[in-house]
Amino acid sequence: MPEASAHPRPAPRARVTLHPDFRRGAVDRRLFGSFVEHLGRAVYTGIYEPGHATADSHGFRRDVADLTRELGVSMVRYPGGNFVSNYVWEDAVGPVEERKPFLDLAWRTVEPNLVGTDEFLQWAEREGVEPMMAVNLGTRGVAAAAALVEYCNGEAGTRWADLRIANGRVKPYGVHLWCLGNEMDGPWQIGHKDAHEYGKLAAEAGKAMKLVDPSISLVVCGSSSMQMPTFGEWERTVLSYTYDLVDHVSMHAYYEELDGDRASFLASGTAMDRFIDRVVASADAVGAERRSDKRITISFDEWNVWYLESRFPGEANLPIQRDAPRIIEDVYSGLDAVVVGDLLVTLLNHADRVPVACLAQLVNVIAPIMTEPGGEAWRQPTFHPFATTARLARGEALDVRVEAPSFPTSRHGDAPVVTAAATVDDDGTLGLFVTNRSDQVVEVELAHVGAALRLTEGWQMVADHVPAVEGPDHAAKVAEACWSAVDVASAVAPAAGGTTTLRLAPESWTAFGGTFARA
Ligand code: AHR
């Protein structure tokens, strides 16, 4: 973005205030989850490719696993997504040579069933990520869901647990977090239901699953997006059946730049912020009517930039395909990465009510990691803000006060030019994340009250105009043009009287690491 013009506008100014005593809540590590669905090349030639030069003895790509670790992913949701709503998990356990392919109707793809529950859970265990499983409440129901929990978590001596043992895995996997279906409000979902049908089924399936293993936590499906015509009413109805049983209600949201409306796209974090507030209000209204002290929290188990309306033809228009077709492999820009960074700011600012979130997805499908079959694996621009936030955001989220001018957007009304989130660990380690959504440099006065602030590292993503083409070369060009270390000494004016001045590049997302400790 050009900084200079014939009639330069005065640089907007903003003030961000940090106080060590003003806190929102602990940052749950599960906020840095991701998602692997049997969709396109997420599994086959994504995490799994037996013939690949880096494949381990189980057929999983080491290069992808290494990037997953570098990304800082804490948890991975599996196996869908829309895919789960017609999945027969029993067909993908046991001897691989006896498994039969099936036609997945969600993505109109022949699923070879080479990777199933055991392969995924063992991969997750080897890579040190927590699995989050979903059960099929589209074409199936209570019995299959309870059987899957028993297969995963049961001790020897009952049918499904013994099947797992016969398949070579003695120790229960201990999967803790379970989704009761996926996007059941969506007419595209195989086995789509209205809120009463789904609420009753989710309550019965969840009850049976918890009878198998009372230690599990359940996620009930909220709306697929805030634009759904049933939004609000759906949450109220579904929670009226499941409030006492579940821990979380799900949220899904994807953002994209539509019709060249860059301002609205840059304000996506504001839309996410309002969406969270509304779902929290809906859940609390159900709790209030029940005079319940229980608080339902959010599992934001699908979020990302996805060019859904502008690039995706729709599931029903996909031809039937096999052999890991390329489906929704969006190529990201620096601008997309700035928005992803800003969405992370929003999530951190809701740490008290959002303990779980999954960047959808992990590899190849709208993903931070891309691969070529038989070839390289590489980082998309969106990789960097996620990895940096997962690394620097530790401990508790501070209740950061931001005073900033706003700018008009056609989709989300007025939105603040600057957003910020901060975290502090017990030892005073600070993570600070700031977005400048304006097309001008913004000067931010960083007021630090009650503790001494020291910034020791900084990383910045700026929006770019590098044309999007597929492949590692593009990702490398964007990274070179848009992602850089901040020279902390020159970016940050010396502290004076408890304030520090940050100069933020136009359309940028910046992360700082440092300390914020009382003397
Ligand atoms: O992440 C891609 C798809 O988006 C998921 O399968 C579905 O849950 C959502 O609509």
Side-chain angles (χ1 to χ4, degrees), residues 254-257 265 303-308 311 328-340 359-370 378-385 461-462 464-471 474-479 482:
Y254 294 101
Y255 302 94
E256 67 189 295
E257 184 179 351
F265 183 46
W303 70 270
N304 204 347
V305 170
W306 175 10
Y307 287 84
L308 175 60
R311 295 184 197 159
I328 52 175
E329 299 197 359
D330 281 6
V331 174
Y332 291 120
S333 65
L335 175 62
D336 298 326
V338 168
V339 170
V340 163
L359 177 70
Q361 298 196 4
L362 180 66
V363 53
N364 289 329
V365 175
I366 43 173
I369 300 171
M370 297 299 292
W378 65 94
R379 302 164 191 80
Q380 289 236 52
T382 53
F383 185 100
H384 303 289
M461 179 63 73
V462 295
D464 66 274
H465 295 280
V466 181
V469 286
E470 283 173 24
H474 165 70
K477 270 186 208 141
V478 175
C482 303

Short mmCIF file of all heavy atoms in Angstrom, two decimals, residues 254-257 265 303-308 311 328-340 359-370 378-385 461-462 464-471 474-479 482:
data_model
loop_
_atom_site.label_atom_id
_atom_site.label_comp_id
_atom_site.label_asym_id
_atom_site.label_seq_id
_atom_site.Cartn_x
_atom_site.Cartn_y
_atom_site.Cartn_z
N TYR A 254 -16.16 -18.67 8.11
CA TYR A 254 -15.13 -18.47 7.08
C TYR A 254 -15.32 -17.07 6.51
O TYR A 254 -16.45 -16.61 6.33
CB TYR A 254 -15.29 -19.51 5.96
CG TYR A 254 -15.01 -20.93 6.44
CD1 TYR A 254 -16.04 -21.81 6.73
CD2 TYR A 254 -13.70 -21.37 6.59
CE1 TYR A 254 -15.78 -23.12 7.15
CE2 TYR A 254 -13.43 -22.67 7.01
CZ TYR A 254 -14.47 -23.54 7.29
OH TYR A 254 -14.19 -24.82 7.71
N TYR A 255 -14.21 -16.42 6.22
CA TYR A 255 -14.25 -15.05 5.73
C TYR A 255 -13.50 -14.97 4.40
O TYR A 255 -12.54 -15.71 4.18
CB TYR A 255 -13.62 -14.11 6.76
CG TYR A 255 -14.32 -14.20 8.10
CD1 TYR A 255 -13.85 -15.05 9.10
CD2 TYR A 255 -15.50 -13.49 8.33
CE1 TYR A 255 -14.52 -15.18 10.32
CE2 TYR A 255 -16.17 -13.60 9.54
CZ TYR A 255 -15.69 -14.45 10.53
OH TYR A 255 -16.37 -14.57 11.71
N GLU A 256 -13.94 -14.05 3.54
CA GLU A 256 -13.28 -13.87 2.25
C GLU A 256 -13.50 -12.44 1.79
O GLU A 256 -14.44 -11.76 2.24
CB GLU A 256 -13.82 -14.84 1.21
CG GLU A 256 -15.26 -14.58 0.80
CD GLU A 256 -15.85 -15.68 -0.07
OE1 GLU A 256 -15.36 -15.86 -1.20
OE2 GLU A 256 -16.83 -16.33 0.36
N GLU A 257 -12.65 -12.00 0.86
CA GLU A 257 -12.85 -10.68 0.26
C GLU A 257 -13.83 -10.86 -0.89
O GLU A 257 -13.56 -11.60 -1.84
CB GLU A 257 -11.51 -10.12 -0.25
CG GLU A 257 -11.67 -8.71 -0.80
CD GLU A 257 -10.35 -8.12 -1.29
OE1 GLU A 257 -9.28 -8.72 -1.05
OE2 GLU A 257 -10.41 -7.05 -1.92
N PHE A 265 -13.45 -7.07 4.39
CA PHE A 265 -12.62 -8.25 4.62
C PHE A 265 -11.66 -7.99 5.78
O PHE A 265 -11.49 -8.85 6.67
CB PHE A 265 -11.86 -8.60 3.34
CG PHE A 265 -11.02 -9.85 3.44
CD1 PHE A 265 -11.53 -11.02 4.01
CD2 PHE A 265 -9.71 -9.85 2.97
CE1 PHE A 265 -10.75 -12.17 4.10
CE2 PHE A 265 -8.93 -11.00 3.06
CZ PHE A 265 -9.46 -12.16 3.63
N TRP A 303 -12.64 -22.27 11.59
CA TRP A 303 -12.51 -20.84 11.27
C TRP A 303 -11.34 -20.68 10.31
O TRP A 303 -10.38 -21.44 10.37
CB TRP A 303 -12.31 -19.99 12.52
CG TRP A 303 -10.98 -20.16 13.20
CD1 TRP A 303 -10.68 -21.05 14.19
CD2 TRP A 303 -9.77 -19.44 12.93
NE1 TRP A 303 -9.37 -20.93 14.56
CE2 TRP A 303 -8.78 -19.95 13.80
CE3 TRP A 303 -9.43 -18.41 12.05
CZ2 TRP A 303 -7.46 -19.48 13.80
CZ3 TRP A 303 -8.12 -17.93 12.05
CH2 TRP A 303 -7.16 -18.47 12.93
N ASN A 304 -11.45 -19.73 9.44
CA ASN A 304 -10.34 -19.45 8.51
C ASN A 304 -10.80 -18.41 7.48
O ASN A 304 -11.95 -17.99 7.47
CB ASN A 304 -9.90 -20.71 7.77
CG ASN A 304 -8.46 -20.64 7.28
OD1 ASN A 304 -7.84 -19.58 7.26
ND2 ASN A 304 -7.93 -21.76 6.85
N VAL A 305 -9.86 -18.06 6.60
CA VAL A 305 -10.21 -17.40 5.34
C VAL A 305 -10.48 -18.51 4.34
O VAL A 305 -9.68 -19.44 4.22
CB VAL A 305 -9.04 -16.51 4.86
CG1 VAL A 305 -9.30 -16.02 3.43
CG2 VAL A 305 -8.84 -15.34 5.82
N TRP A 306 -11.61 -18.44 3.68
CA TRP A 306 -11.94 -19.43 2.63
C TRP A 306 -12.71 -18.69 1.54
O TRP A 306 -13.74 -18.08 1.83
CB TRP A 306 -12.78 -20.58 3.22
CG TRP A 306 -13.27 -21.59 2.21
CD1 TRP A 306 -12.91 -21.71 0.90
CD2 TRP A 306 -14.24 -22.63 2.45
NE1 TRP A 306 -13.57 -22.77 0.31
CE2 TRP A 306 -14.39 -23.35 1.23
CE3 TRP A 306 -14.99 -23.03 3.56
CZ2 TRP A 306 -15.27 -24.43 1.10
CZ3 TRP A 306 -15.86 -24.11 3.43
CH2 TRP A 306 -15.98 -24.81 2.21
N TYR A 307 -12.24 -18.77 0.30
CA TYR A 307 -12.92 -18.11 -0.82
C TYR A 307 -14.07 -19.00 -1.29
O TYR A 307 -14.09 -19.48 -2.41
CB TYR A 307 -11.90 -17.74 -1.91
CG TYR A 307 -11.07 -16.58 -1.43
CD1 TYR A 307 -9.96 -16.79 -0.61
CD2 TYR A 307 -11.47 -15.28 -1.68
CE1 TYR A 307 -9.24 -15.71 -0.10
CE2 TYR A 307 -10.77 -14.20 -1.16
CZ TYR A 307 -9.66 -14.42 -0.38
OH TYR A 307 -8.97 -13.35 0.14
N LEU A 308 -15.00 -19.17 -0.36
CA LEU A 308 -16.11 -20.11 -0.51
C LEU A 308 -17.08 -19.66 -1.59
O LEU A 308 -17.45 -20.44 -2.48
CB LEU A 308 -16.82 -20.21 0.85
CG LEU A 308 -18.09 -21.01 1.00
CD1 LEU A 308 -17.85 -22.47 0.66
CD2 LEU A 308 -18.59 -20.92 2.45
N ARG A 311 -14.74 -18.75 -5.13
CA ARG A 311 -13.93 -19.72 -5.87
C ARG A 311 -14.49 -21.14 -5.87
O ARG A 311 -14.11 -21.94 -6.71
CB ARG A 311 -12.50 -19.78 -5.29
CG ARG A 311 -11.73 -18.49 -5.44
CD ARG A 311 -10.29 -18.67 -4.92
NE ARG A 311 -9.64 -17.38 -4.68
CZ ARG A 311 -8.60 -17.21 -3.89
NH1 ARG A 311 -8.05 -18.24 -3.26
NH2 ARG A 311 -8.07 -16.01 -3.73
N ILE A 328 -10.85 -27.41 -2.95
CA ILE A 328 -10.66 -26.18 -2.15
C ILE A 328 -9.23 -26.01 -1.61
O ILE A 328 -9.00 -25.92 -0.42
CB ILE A 328 -11.73 -25.98 -1.06
CG1 ILE A 328 -11.91 -27.18 -0.14
CG2 ILE A 328 -13.05 -25.63 -1.68
CD1 ILE A 328 -12.90 -26.89 1.03
N GLU A 329 -8.31 -25.92 -2.56
CA GLU A 329 -6.91 -25.66 -2.19
C GLU A 329 -6.61 -24.18 -2.39
O GLU A 329 -5.87 -23.78 -3.30
CB GLU A 329 -5.98 -26.55 -3.02
CG GLU A 329 -6.26 -28.03 -2.77
CD GLU A 329 -5.15 -28.96 -3.22
OE1 GLU A 329 -4.14 -28.47 -3.77
OE2 GLU A 329 -5.30 -30.18 -3.02
N ASP A 330 -7.20 -23.34 -1.58
CA ASP A 330 -7.01 -21.90 -1.72
C ASP A 330 -5.55 -21.51 -1.55
O ASP A 330 -4.86 -21.99 -0.65
CB ASP A 330 -7.87 -21.14 -0.70
CG ASP A 330 -9.33 -21.04 -1.13
OD1 ASP A 330 -9.68 -21.66 -2.14
OD2 ASP A 330 -10.10 -20.36 -0.44
N VAL A 331 -5.10 -20.61 -2.43
CA VAL A 331 -3.75 -20.05 -2.33
C VAL A 331 -3.88 -18.70 -1.62
O VAL A 331 -4.67 -17.86 -2.03
CB VAL A 331 -3.14 -19.86 -3.74
CG1 VAL A 331 -1.80 -19.15 -3.66
CG2 VAL A 331 -2.99 -21.21 -4.44
N TYR A 332 -3.12 -18.52 -0.55
CA TYR A 332 -3.33 -17.34 0.28
C TYR A 332 -2.31 -16.23 -0.01
O TYR A 332 -1.19 -16.49 -0.44
CB TYR A 332 -3.26 -17.72 1.76
CG TYR A 332 -4.45 -18.56 2.18
CD1 TYR A 332 -4.28 -19.84 2.70
CD2 TYR A 332 -5.74 -18.07 2.05
CE1 TYR A 332 -5.37 -20.61 3.08
CE2 TYR A 332 -6.84 -18.83 2.42
CZ TYR A 332 -6.66 -20.10 2.94
OH TYR A 332 -7.73 -20.84 3.31
N SER A 333 -2.75 -15.02 0.33
CA SER A 333 -1.93 -13.82 0.14
C SER A 333 -1.53 -13.27 1.51
O SER A 333 -2.02 -13.72 2.55
CB SER A 333 -2.76 -12.77 -0.59
OG SER A 333 -3.84 -12.37 0.25
N GLY A 334 -0.69 -12.24 1.47
CA GLY A 334 -0.35 -11.55 2.71
C GLY A 334 -1.59 -10.93 3.35
O GLY A 334 -1.73 -10.93 4.58
N LEU A 335 -2.50 -10.41 2.53
CA LEU A 335 -3.74 -9.84 3.07
C LEU A 335 -4.53 -10.91 3.84
O LEU A 335 -5.02 -10.67 4.94
CB LEU A 335 -4.59 -9.26 1.93
CG LEU A 335 -5.97 -8.74 2.30
CD1 LEU A 335 -5.89 -7.58 3.29
CD2 LEU A 335 -6.75 -8.30 1.05
N ASP A 336 -4.64 -12.11 3.24
CA ASP A 336 -5.34 -13.20 3.93
C ASP A 336 -4.67 -13.49 5.28
O ASP A 336 -5.34 -13.74 6.28
CB ASP A 336 -5.32 -14.47 3.08
CG ASP A 336 -6.03 -14.30 1.74
OD1 ASP A 336 -7.02 -13.54 1.69
OD2 ASP A 336 -5.59 -14.90 0.75
N ALA A 337 -3.34 -13.46 5.27
CA ALA A 337 -2.60 -13.78 6.50
C ALA A 337 -2.81 -12.69 7.56
O ALA A 337 -2.88 -12.99 8.76
CB ALA A 337 -1.12 -13.96 6.20
N VAL A 338 -2.91 -11.42 7.13
CA VAL A 338 -3.20 -10.34 8.08
C VAL A 338 -4.57 -10.60 8.73
O VAL A 338 -4.74 -10.47 9.95
CB VAL A 338 -3.17 -8.97 7.37
CG1 VAL A 338 -3.76 -7.87 8.26
CG2 VAL A 338 -1.74 -8.61 6.96
N VAL A 339 -5.54 -11.00 7.91
CA VAL A 339 -6.88 -11.27 8.45
C VAL A 339 -6.84 -12.46 9.41
O VAL A 339 -7.45 -12.44 10.49
CB VAL A 339 -7.90 -11.47 7.30
CG1 VAL A 339 -9.23 -11.98 7.83
CG2 VAL A 339 -8.09 -10.16 6.55
N VAL A 340 -6.10 -13.50 9.06
CA VAL A 340 -5.97 -14.66 9.96
C VAL A 340 -5.37 -14.21 11.30
O VAL A 340 -5.84 -14.58 12.38
CB VAL A 340 -5.14 -15.79 9.30
CG1 VAL A 340 -4.64 -16.80 10.32
CG2 VAL A 340 -5.98 -16.49 8.24
N LEU A 359 -8.30 -24.11 13.39
CA LEU A 359 -8.05 -23.51 12.08
C LEU A 359 -8.39 -24.58 11.05
O LEU A 359 -7.78 -25.67 11.05
CB LEU A 359 -6.58 -23.09 11.95
CG LEU A 359 -6.19 -22.50 10.61
CD1 LEU A 359 -6.81 -21.13 10.39
CD2 LEU A 359 -4.68 -22.41 10.48
N ALA A 360 -9.35 -24.29 10.18
CA ALA A 360 -9.80 -25.29 9.21
C ALA A 360 -9.20 -24.93 7.85
O ALA A 360 -9.50 -23.86 7.34
CB ALA A 360 -11.32 -25.31 9.13
N GLN A 361 -8.34 -25.80 7.34
CA GLN A 361 -7.93 -27.08 7.88
C GLN A 361 -6.41 -27.10 8.02
O GLN A 361 -5.79 -26.04 7.91
CB GLN A 361 -8.44 -28.17 6.98
CG GLN A 361 -9.99 -28.17 6.90
CD GLN A 361 -10.59 -29.45 6.33
OE1 GLN A 361 -9.91 -30.41 6.04
NE2 GLN A 361 -11.92 -29.46 6.15
N LEU A 362 -5.80 -28.27 8.17
CA LEU A 362 -4.36 -28.32 8.45
C LEU A 362 -3.50 -28.37 7.19
O LEU A 362 -2.48 -27.66 7.11
CB LEU A 362 -4.07 -29.57 9.32
CG LEU A 362 -2.60 -29.79 9.71
CD1 LEU A 362 -2.12 -28.69 10.64
CD2 LEU A 362 -2.42 -31.15 10.36
N VAL A 363 -3.88 -29.22 6.25
CA VAL A 363 -3.00 -29.42 5.10
C VAL A 363 -3.79 -29.55 3.80
O VAL A 363 -4.81 -30.25 3.75
CB VAL A 363 -2.03 -30.62 5.35
CG1 VAL A 363 -2.76 -31.87 5.74
CG2 VAL A 363 -1.13 -30.90 4.16
N ASN A 364 -3.36 -28.81 2.80
CA ASN A 364 -3.88 -28.79 1.43
C ASN A 364 -5.28 -28.19 1.28
O ASN A 364 -5.55 -27.47 0.31
CB ASN A 364 -3.86 -30.19 0.79
CG ASN A 364 -2.43 -30.62 0.48
OD1 ASN A 364 -1.58 -29.80 0.18
ND2 ASN A 364 -2.17 -31.92 0.57
N VAL A 365 -6.21 -28.49 2.16
CA VAL A 365 -7.58 -27.99 2.06
C VAL A 365 -7.67 -26.70 2.87
O VAL A 365 -7.58 -26.74 4.09
CB VAL A 365 -8.57 -29.04 2.59
CG1 VAL A 365 -9.97 -28.49 2.62
CG2 VAL A 365 -8.48 -30.31 1.76
N ILE A 366 -7.81 -25.53 2.18
CA ILE A 366 -7.81 -24.22 2.86
C ILE A 366 -6.85 -24.25 4.06
O ILE A 366 -7.25 -24.03 5.20
CB ILE A 366 -9.24 -23.77 3.27
CG1 ILE A 366 -10.06 -24.92 3.87
CG2 ILE A 366 -9.96 -23.13 2.11
CD1 ILE A 366 -11.44 -24.48 4.44
N ALA A 367 -5.58 -24.45 3.75
CA ALA A 367 -4.66 -24.87 4.81
C ALA A 367 -3.40 -24.02 4.88
O ALA A 367 -2.93 -23.48 3.89
CB ALA A 367 -4.27 -26.31 4.56
N PRO A 368 -2.80 -23.98 6.09
CA PRO A 368 -1.51 -23.30 6.23
C PRO A 368 -0.34 -24.12 5.68
O PRO A 368 0.74 -23.58 5.46
CB PRO A 368 -1.37 -23.13 7.75
CG PRO A 368 -2.20 -24.22 8.34
CD PRO A 368 -3.34 -24.44 7.38
N ILE A 369 -0.55 -25.43 5.51
CA ILE A 369 0.51 -26.30 4.99
C ILE A 369 0.04 -26.89 3.66
O ILE A 369 -1.09 -27.38 3.56
CB ILE A 369 0.80 -27.46 5.98
CG1 ILE A 369 1.25 -26.92 7.34
CG2 ILE A 369 1.87 -28.41 5.41
CD1 ILE A 369 1.34 -27.97 8.44
N MET A 370 0.91 -26.83 2.66
CA MET A 370 0.59 -27.40 1.34
C MET A 370 1.61 -28.46 1.00
O MET A 370 2.75 -28.42 1.48
CB MET A 370 0.61 -26.32 0.26
CG MET A 370 -0.41 -25.21 0.43
SD MET A 370 -2.11 -25.76 0.39
CE MET A 370 -2.27 -26.29 -1.31
N TRP A 378 5.16 -27.13 2.08
CA TRP A 378 5.56 -25.75 2.34
C TRP A 378 4.52 -24.99 3.14
O TRP A 378 3.39 -25.47 3.33
CB TRP A 378 5.89 -25.02 1.04
CG TRP A 378 4.74 -24.82 0.09
CD1 TRP A 378 3.93 -23.73 0.02
CD2 TRP A 378 4.30 -25.73 -0.92
NE1 TRP A 378 3.01 -23.89 -0.98
CE2 TRP A 378 3.21 -25.11 -1.57
CE3 TRP A 378 4.71 -27.00 -1.34
CZ2 TRP A 378 2.51 -25.73 -2.62
CZ3 TRP A 378 4.02 -27.62 -2.37
CH2 TRP A 378 2.94 -26.98 -3.01
N ARG A 379 4.96 -23.83 3.61
CA ARG A 379 4.11 -22.99 4.46
C ARG A 379 3.39 -21.96 3.59
O ARG A 379 4.05 -21.24 2.84
CB ARG A 379 4.95 -22.20 5.46
CG ARG A 379 5.82 -23.03 6.37
CD ARG A 379 6.88 -22.14 7.03
NE ARG A 379 7.89 -22.92 7.72
CZ ARG A 379 8.93 -23.52 7.11
NH1 ARG A 379 9.10 -23.44 5.80
NH2 ARG A 379 9.79 -24.21 7.82
N GLN A 380 2.07 -21.86 3.75
CA GLN A 380 1.33 -20.74 3.13
C GLN A 380 1.53 -19.50 4.00
O GLN A 380 1.92 -19.60 5.17
CB GLN A 380 -0.17 -21.06 3.08
CG GLN A 380 -0.53 -22.13 2.09
CD GLN A 380 -1.58 -21.63 1.10
OE1 GLN A 380 -1.41 -20.58 0.47
NE2 GLN A 380 -2.65 -22.38 0.95
N PRO A 381 1.22 -18.31 3.48
CA PRO A 381 1.38 -17.09 4.30
C PRO A 381 0.62 -17.16 5.63
O PRO A 381 1.08 -16.62 6.64
CB PRO A 381 0.80 -15.99 3.40
CG PRO A 381 0.99 -16.50 2.00
CD PRO A 381 0.84 -17.99 2.08
N THR A 382 -0.53 -17.82 5.64
CA THR A 382 -1.33 -17.89 6.87
C THR A 382 -0.65 -18.72 7.96
O THR A 382 -1.04 -18.64 9.14
CB THR A 382 -2.72 -18.50 6.58
OG1 THR A 382 -2.53 -19.74 5.89
CG2 THR A 382 -3.55 -17.57 5.71
N PHE A 383 0.35 -19.50 7.58
CA PHE A 383 1.09 -20.30 8.55
C PHE A 383 1.73 -19.40 9.62
O PHE A 383 1.72 -19.72 10.81
CB PHE A 383 2.20 -21.06 7.79
CG PHE A 383 3.01 -22.03 8.61
CD1 PHE A 383 2.75 -23.40 8.57
CD2 PHE A 383 4.07 -21.59 9.40
CE1 PHE A 383 3.51 -24.29 9.30
CE2 PHE A 383 4.83 -22.47 10.14
CZ PHE A 383 4.55 -23.84 10.09
N HIS A 384 2.28 -18.27 9.16
CA HIS A 384 3.14 -17.46 10.04
C HIS A 384 2.39 -16.82 11.22
O HIS A 384 2.85 -16.94 12.36
CB HIS A 384 3.90 -16.42 9.21
CG HIS A 384 4.71 -17.08 8.12
ND1 HIS A 384 5.83 -17.81 8.37
CD2 HIS A 384 4.51 -17.14 6.78
CE1 HIS A 384 6.31 -18.29 7.24
NE2 HIS A 384 5.53 -17.90 6.25
N PRO A 385 1.25 -16.15 10.99
CA PRO A 385 0.58 -15.59 12.17
C PRO A 385 0.09 -16.66 13.14
O PRO A 385 0.12 -16.47 14.36
CB PRO A 385 -0.60 -14.79 11.58
CG PRO A 385 -0.73 -15.22 10.17
CD PRO A 385 0.61 -15.73 9.74
N MET A 461 3.36 -9.21 9.55
CA MET A 461 2.80 -9.63 8.26
C MET A 461 2.13 -8.39 7.66
O MET A 461 1.36 -7.71 8.34
CB MET A 461 1.76 -10.74 8.47
CG MET A 461 1.08 -11.23 7.22
SD MET A 461 2.18 -12.02 6.01
CE MET A 461 2.55 -13.58 6.77
N VAL A 462 2.45 -8.09 6.40
CA VAL A 462 1.76 -6.99 5.73
C VAL A 462 0.99 -7.54 4.54
O VAL A 462 1.35 -8.58 3.97
CB VAL A 462 2.72 -5.86 5.27
CG1 VAL A 462 3.37 -5.17 6.46
CG2 VAL A 462 3.77 -6.40 4.32
N ASP A 464 -0.29 -7.81 0.72
CA ASP A 464 0.57 -7.75 -0.46
C ASP A 464 -0.27 -7.74 -1.73
O ASP A 464 -1.46 -7.91 -1.71
CB ASP A 464 1.43 -9.01 -0.51
CG ASP A 464 0.57 -10.22 -0.74
OD1 ASP A 464 0.05 -10.77 0.24
OD2 ASP A 464 0.37 -10.61 -1.90
N HIS A 465 0.41 -7.56 -2.81
CA HIS A 465 -0.27 -7.65 -4.10
C HIS A 465 0.50 -8.61 -5.00
O HIS A 465 0.54 -8.44 -6.21
CB HIS A 465 -0.38 -6.27 -4.73
CG HIS A 465 -1.27 -5.38 -3.90
ND1 HIS A 465 -2.63 -5.44 -3.97
CD2 HIS A 465 -0.97 -4.48 -2.96
CE1 HIS A 465 -3.14 -4.57 -3.12
NE2 HIS A 465 -2.16 -3.99 -2.49
N VAL A 466 1.13 -9.61 -4.41
CA VAL A 466 1.83 -10.62 -5.20
C VAL A 466 0.75 -11.50 -5.82
O VAL A 466 -0.08 -12.05 -5.10
CB VAL A 466 2.75 -11.49 -4.30
CG1 VAL A 466 3.50 -12.51 -5.12
CG2 VAL A 466 3.70 -10.61 -3.51
N PRO A 467 0.69 -11.62 -7.16
CA PRO A 467 -0.39 -12.41 -7.75
C PRO A 467 -0.35 -13.85 -7.25
O PRO A 467 0.73 -14.44 -7.12
CB PRO A 467 -0.12 -12.35 -9.26
CG PRO A 467 1.08 -11.50 -9.44
CD PRO A 467 1.63 -11.10 -8.13
N ALA A 468 -1.53 -14.39 -6.96
CA ALA A 468 -1.61 -15.73 -6.38
C ALA A 468 -1.47 -16.79 -7.47
O ALA A 468 -2.28 -16.86 -8.38
CB ALA A 468 -2.93 -15.89 -5.66
N VAL A 469 -0.41 -17.57 -7.41
CA VAL A 469 -0.27 -18.73 -8.28
C VAL A 469 0.08 -19.91 -7.37
O VAL A 469 0.61 -19.71 -6.28
CB VAL A 469 0.84 -18.56 -9.34
CG1 VAL A 469 0.42 -17.63 -10.45
CG2 VAL A 469 2.13 -18.08 -8.71
N GLU A 470 -0.22 -21.10 -7.84
CA GLU A 470 0.00 -22.24 -6.97
C GLU A 470 1.48 -22.60 -6.86
O GLU A 470 2.25 -22.33 -7.77
CB GLU A 470 -0.78 -23.44 -7.48
CG GLU A 470 -2.25 -23.30 -7.15
CD GLU A 470 -3.09 -24.36 -7.77
OE1 GLU A 470 -2.54 -25.44 -8.06
OE2 GLU A 470 -4.29 -24.12 -7.94
N GLY A 471 1.81 -23.24 -5.73
CA GLY A 471 3.14 -23.80 -5.60
C GLY A 471 4.00 -23.11 -4.58
O GLY A 471 3.69 -21.99 -4.15
N HIS A 474 5.37 -19.35 -5.02
CA HIS A 474 4.49 -18.24 -4.67
C HIS A 474 4.54 -17.99 -3.16
O HIS A 474 4.71 -16.85 -2.72
CB HIS A 474 3.05 -18.52 -5.09
CG HIS A 474 2.07 -17.61 -4.43
ND1 HIS A 474 1.99 -16.27 -4.75
CD2 HIS A 474 1.18 -17.81 -3.43
CE1 HIS A 474 1.07 -15.70 -3.99
NE2 HIS A 474 0.58 -16.61 -3.19
N ALA A 475 4.41 -19.08 -2.39
CA ALA A 475 4.41 -18.93 -0.92
C ALA A 475 5.72 -18.28 -0.47
O ALA A 475 5.73 -17.42 0.40
CB ALA A 475 4.22 -20.29 -0.26
N ALA A 476 6.82 -18.67 -1.08
CA ALA A 476 8.12 -18.11 -0.69
C ALA A 476 8.18 -16.62 -1.06
O ALA A 476 8.69 -15.81 -0.28
CB ALA A 476 9.24 -18.87 -1.39
N LYS A 477 7.62 -16.27 -2.23
CA LYS A 477 7.64 -14.85 -2.64
C LYS A 477 6.81 -14.00 -1.68
O LYS A 477 7.20 -12.89 -1.32
CB LYS A 477 7.05 -14.72 -4.05
CG LYS A 477 8.10 -14.85 -5.13
CD LYS A 477 7.48 -14.57 -6.49
CE LYS A 477 8.25 -15.34 -7.54
NZ LYS A 477 7.45 -15.91 -8.58
N VAL A 478 5.63 -14.53 -1.31
CA VAL A 478 4.78 -13.77 -0.37
C VAL A 478 5.51 -13.62 0.96
O VAL A 478 5.54 -12.53 1.54
CB VAL A 478 3.41 -14.44 -0.18
CG1 VAL A 478 2.59 -13.71 0.88
CG2 VAL A 478 2.64 -14.47 -1.48
N ALA A 479 6.10 -14.70 1.42
CA ALA A 479 6.80 -14.63 2.71
C ALA A 479 7.91 -13.59 2.65
O ALA A 479 8.09 -12.78 3.57
CB ALA A 479 7.35 -16.00 3.08
N CYS A 482 6.20 -10.10 2.52
CA CYS A 482 5.21 -9.69 3.53
C CYS A 482 5.56 -10.06 4.97
O CYS A 482 4.97 -9.50 5.89
CB CYS A 482 3.87 -10.35 3.22
SG CYS A 482 3.27 -9.96 1.60
#
